[in-house]
Amino acid sequence: MRRPFARALALGAAAAVIPLASPAPATADSIVIGGYPVETAQSPWTVALSSRDRFGGTRAGQFCGGVVIARSTVLTAAHCLSAAVLGAPPSRIRDLRIIADRTDLLSTQGKEIPVRATWVNPDYDSSTNAGDFAVLTLASPLPESSVIPMASSADPAYAPGTAAVVYGWGDATGSGDYAHSLRAARVQVLPDEACEEAYPGDGDGKYLAGSMLCAGELAGGRDACQGDSGGPLVAQGRLIGLVSWGSGCGRPGSPGVYTRVSDVARAFGRSR
Ligand code: ARG
């Protein structure tokens, strides 16, 4: 289904219903669909967004991913902070935090840092999903070693065929099996045409090459999934995308759509 996690969550109890829209057989080892376990030590810039108030404490309140782009700055998806997901404006979520250095959400490893301020891209368009990014300012800084550089538009990592890795604590099968330990999946940057064909705008989103990035496997199998949103897509040591949306997870012909990080730098610079 093309609805972002946002809308899935808004339906509350419908969490059990949403996956019906993607009956693709859940591969046993599916992420982050088709993924494998990783440690946050290997990707210290991958953080979890948490609110136990809103999402309960079983998985430390995790509801989206985020990426550390400066010591006190985390990038995530705009739709993660929408009222549809949070049930209120982000400023009203008293216990909004990021969790760093915690591979397993059931452990107490690493640290939880309160979010001091949120900035949601004012140009985010929930009908096309364009401009799906937001910036969180942390109450205290993370070490410099947690920061990942952002790709600029000229970055060679945007070339189709580039190997990339996506990270997250999201649904690992497409059936609502939220991971409690971090996973990663190897995907490749796909030509814009692959997503333009898959997402012409007749569903819940329209692929727009200027602000989005297409990645996955043409044959399906490896992909991000619900709960991974806002998390990083990394290639050649740089952040190139943020998990944003897709139709189902890991389905052939329906690649993952990511926020194009080079566009974030541009848009963020302009709007502030
Ligand atoms: N919108 C989802 C979220 O909020 C992410 C979906 C990504 N889907 C995909 N097939 N890559 O977690």
Side-chain angles (χ1 to χ4, degrees):
M1 41 106 216
R2 296 184 185 178
R3 64 184 87 226
F5 190 45
R7 275 161 260 169
L9 273 175
L11 298 174
V17 174
I18 298 303
L20 292 177
S22 49
T27 13
D29 176 36
S30 288
I31 230 201
V32 186
I33 306 283
Y36 53 92
V38 277
E39 305 265 327
T40 45
Q42 266 112 57
S43 59
W45 14 265
T46 304
V47 298
L49 259 56
S50 148
S51 167
R52 290 177 177 81
D53 274 2
R54 294 287 155 174
F55 302 98
T58 34
R59 289 170 64 264
Q62 188 271 347
F63 65 97
C64 266
V67 199
V68 184
I69 54 158
R71 291 189 59 195
S72 296
T73 312
V74 165
L75 203 56
T76 187
H79 81 261
C80 289
L81 299 185
S82 66
V85 167
L86 296 176
S91 57
R92 295 255 202 85
I93 311 298
R94 288 296 151 80
D95 72 338
L96 186 62
R97 292 181 197 155
I98 65 99
I99 305 180
D101 303 318
R102 183 175 299 171
T103 300
D104 187 342
L105 297 174
L106 306 184
S107 79
T108 54
Q109 192 202 338
K111 54 185 163 198
E112 302 191 4
I113 303 179
V115 171
R116 186 162 54 83
T118 55
W119 180 92
V120 178
N121 178 17
D123 293 332
Y124 167 58
D125 179 346
S126 60
S127 60
T128 58
N129 297 319
D132 194 9
F133 67 90
V135 177
L136 311 177
T137 305
L138 307 181
S140 59
L142 285 160
E144 189 62 46
S145 55
S146 297
V147 176
I148 185 167
M150 292 165 74
S152 66
S153 54
D155 200 303
Y158 281 116
T162 302
V165 183
V166 57
Y167 299 84
W169 287 272
D171 191 345
T173 62
S175 312
D177 301 316
Y178 290 86
H180 59 79
S181 208
L182 183 63
R183 298 178 70 80
R186 290 191 184 91
V187 294
Q188 53 173 312
V189 174
L190 296 173
D192 290 322
E193 294 73 43
C195 278
E196 278 161 356
E197 240 168 71
Y199 308 114
D202 53 4
D204 288 60
K206 178 177 168 64
Y207 185 78
L208 298 163
S211 65
M212 302 178 189
L213 172 66
C214 189
E217 288 298 328
L218 284 174
R222 294 202 292 271
D223 195 4
C225 200
Q226 316 317 326
D228 291 323
S229 277
L233 178 69
V234 175
Q236 300 175 357
R238 279 146 352 246
L239 177 67
I240 61 169
L242 302 176
V243 176
S244 181
W245 60 286
S247 176
C249 303
R251 292 152 83 180
S254 299
V257 183
Y258 295 78
T259 309
R260 191 177 285 269
V261 161
S262 57
D263 184 61
V264 170
R266 189 192 55 78
F268 187 52
R270 196 199 47 204
S271 314
R272 282 227 303 188

